Amino acid sequence: MSTFKISTPVPEFHGKVAGVWFANGEAETDSEGAVAYFRRHGYTVEAVKADPNEQAPAETDAKAKAPARAAKG
């Protein structure tokens, strides 16, 4: 699982949002649900520690949307 650094739109914020505790407007989480929430609501999300066995979401989406190609023979 990847770990993400989250920055709030308010740099001085201290508190809990989407189950994640913030201090001075920053936090880290590995919760995919929380990361999705923060992206939708304008927070800055940066990957800080990636699992080498995990695909990036953009790669997964692109592969899922790519049409299947028939083998040429």
Side-chain angles (χ1 to χ4, degrees), residues 2-70:
S2 297
T3 301
F4 296 88
K5 177 184 172 188
I6 313 298
S7 300
T8 67
V10 179
E12 308 83 30
F13 178 74
H14 295 278
K16 188 176 181 181
V17 178
V20 178
W21 282 99
F22 286 84
N24 295 319
E26 294 186 348
E28 287 192 6
T29 186
D30 61 358
S31 169
E32 298 285 332
V35 168
Y37 172 89
F38 295 129
R39 284 185 172 142
R40 285 192 314 267
H41 290 90
Y43 291 68
T44 301
V45 177
E46 302 172 56
V48 292
K49 181 177 160 189
D51 181 343
N53 296 322
E54 185 178 323
Q55 291 181 341
E59 291 176 9
T60 302
D61 292 344
K63 288 180 182 176
K65 293 179 183 176
R69 296 184 185 208

